[in-house]
Amino acid sequence: MQQSVLEIKNFSLGLEIDRKTYSVLKDINFSFFKGKIHAIVGESGCGKTMSVMSILKLLPKNSKFLGGKILFEGKNILELDERDMREIRGRKIALIPQDPMTSLNPLYTVENQLLETIMLHNDVSKERALDIALKTLESVEFKDAQKRIKAYPHELSGGMKQRVIIAMALAANADILIADEPTTALDVTIQAQILKLLEKIKEQGRTIILITHDLGVVARYSDDISIMYLGRVVERAQSDMLFKHPRHPYTKALIEALPVKKGKKLKNIKGQPSPVTEPVLGCPFHPRCERADDRCRAACPGLKNIDNTDVACYHPL
């Protein structure tokens, strides 16, 4: 059995709002494996980004750890101080942020920003750092790297900016990359190029955690998928299995909302997720679920394995 390189175990997180703590992540579990893309999918506000930012301990000041562990290299990340975290961030676990348009400093060239990252995490000369920077840019298919490394961010397209950001994550040779909605601000053609690039990086033996609200984006490129809803993991399976036979009504509804065939009417999911300040009793999806009954409204189901799929539902499909 393959050993995980990072685990989130029974983890819960709250946010303090007006002196009251509201639970935003509820007893979540993830296992991430070497050389795999694990996609975390769900609607905005479901807890995807909060889950991965907990790994890096980059959370709002009003956040509170309510329980659980995040295990990496035999240590619980939640117990590490800021000095120890600086050894992990960037060097071992790197973040590819959501918006390439605003993630680069507009006052510095690509070269300046790459050299700063490389020299921060590696004991190398400036000449050696420049060599690493150029090779890393070439590895992410950044065209004319020798010339365009002198460019400022405003001189680059959205796709080229995203490549620079990925290069910065790779430059420190991190084993785990967290890609938070890496294709959101890009057009469809560039989206496919970036996803293929992440797939290529995965094949080098790196672990990629891919955050997205679009199940269609991850259909071809992910190995494992976790579906989140209102701070909980409601379904987890290998990618091909999840698309062939979704077990949770929410997962099925997401798949049916994908624009697959021309002329096919898209199905929408009725209602809206409840705000964090109005916690739902029972299964969090029951107010929007056609299969819900009194049991669903009374108690929240835990994850149960059915034919290699983990699903949190009293009436799985």
Side-chain angles (χ1 to χ4, degrees):
M1 186 176 178
Q2 189 178 7
Q3 185 72 30
S4 61
V5 295
L6 175 67
E7 279 190 277
I8 300 178
K9 301 185 74 172
N10 306 117
F11 179 64
S12 296
L13 181 76
L15 289 178
E16 188 175 295
I17 303 172
D18 295 331
R19 299 184 180 180
K20 186 174 181 179
T21 300
Y22 297 93
S23 181
V24 292
L25 296 176
K26 307 171 182 73
D27 200 30
I28 62 171
N29 288 274
F30 292 103
S31 293
F32 304 107
F33 298 95
K34 181 180 175 65
K36 300 287 185 182
I37 296 179
H38 190 129
I40 302 176
V41 183
E43 293 173 85
S44 296
C46 73
K48 307 183 300 294
T49 297
M50 293 291 277
S51 298
V52 295
M53 288 304 180
S54 297
I55 296 169
L56 296 171
K57 294 180 79 172
L58 296 174
L59 292 165
K61 289 184 179 180
N62 64 333
S63 62
K64 287 187 174 183
F65 297 127
L66 302 178
K69 299 178 180 180
I70 300 178
L71 302 176
F72 177 65
E73 294 185 339
K75 298 177 182 178
N76 181 6
I77 282 177
L78 302 181
E79 296 175 351
L80 301 182
D81 60 22
E82 184 58 25
R83 182 179 177 182
D84 290 331
M85 286 306 303
R86 283 198 294 268
E87 291 295 310
I88 291 175
R89 295 190 198 112
R91 182 172 294 179
K92 297 180 178 181
I93 304 175
L95 175 67
I96 300 171
Q98 188 171 116
D99 188 356
M101 311 304 173
T102 59
S103 298
L104 294 170
N105 191 322
L107 301 179
Y108 293 94
T109 64
V110 170
E111 180 180 17
N112 293 145
Q113 296 183 64
L114 269 168
L115 290 184
E116 181 182 19
T117 300
I118 293 166
M119 296 179 76
L120 178 66
H121 296 295
N122 301 276
D123 184 18
V124 295
S125 66
K126 187 174 181 180
E127 291 74 20
R128 175 58 181 150
L130 180 57
D131 183 54
I132 294 171
L134 287 169
K135 287 181 178 177
T136 307
L137 284 174
E138 289 168 358
S139 75
V140 298
E141 301 166 12
F142 187 87
K143 296 178 182 178
D144 301 323
Q146 190 83 37
K147 177 182 177 182
R148 301 182 80 174
I149 195 172
K150 302 290 186 181
Y152 287 88
H154 73 270
E155 298 176 294
L156 303 175
S157 67
M160 296 304 279
K161 289 178 187 176
Q162 190 63 286
R163 284 177 167 80
V164 172
I165 291 168
I166 294 172
M168 291 174 71
L170 293 175
N173 208 29
D175 294 319
I176 300 172
L177 301 183
I178 297 172
D180 187 7
E181 303 271 11
T183 62
T184 297
L186 307 174
D187 64 47
V188 175
T189 303
I190 304 301
Q191 281 185 10
Q193 292 175 9
I194 296 300
L195 288 167
K196 286 179 182 177
L197 177 57
L198 292 178
E199 187 175 46
K200 178 182 172 183
I201 293 167
K202 174 198 79 170
E203 289 167 357
Q204 297 169 1
R206 288 185 169 93
T207 302
I208 296 177
I209 304 171
L210 176 60
I211 308 301
T212 181
H213 64 274
D214 187 348
L215 199 53
V217 164
V218 301
R220 284 184 54 196
Y221 300 97
S222 62
D223 298 289
D224 304 295
I225 298 178
S226 292
I227 305 294
M228 290 191 70
Y229 189 82
L230 284 184
R232 296 183 185 274
V233 177
V234 296
E235 185 162 0
R236 180 173 52 229
Q238 292 182 350
S239 182
D240 55 350
M241 188 174 297
L242 184 134
F243 279 95
K244 285 178 184 176
H245 192 170
R247 295 284 185 177
H248 198 283
Y250 178 58
T251 307
K252 183 183 179 185
L254 288 177
I255 293 173
E256 289 179 341
L258 294 174
V260 182
K261 295 180 181 179
K262 186 177 179 180
K264 179 187 174 185
K265 187 176 180 180
L266 298 181
K267 292 185 179 180
N268 66 334
I269 307 174
K270 66 177 184 179
Q272 296 289 332
S274 302
V276 67
T277 53
E278 298 176 15
V280 177
L281 182 65
C283 172
F285 188 60
H286 88 254
R288 306 172 72 186
C289 182
E290 296 177 354
R291 301 168 70 88
D293 59 14
D294 289 342
R295 187 183 183 192
C296 305
R297 288 182 275 272
C300 184
L303 284 170
K304 181 171 65 173
N305 188 272
I306 303 174
D307 296 331
N308 296 317
T309 295
D310 294 324
V311 56
C313 183
Y314 291 124
H315 309 290
L317 302 167

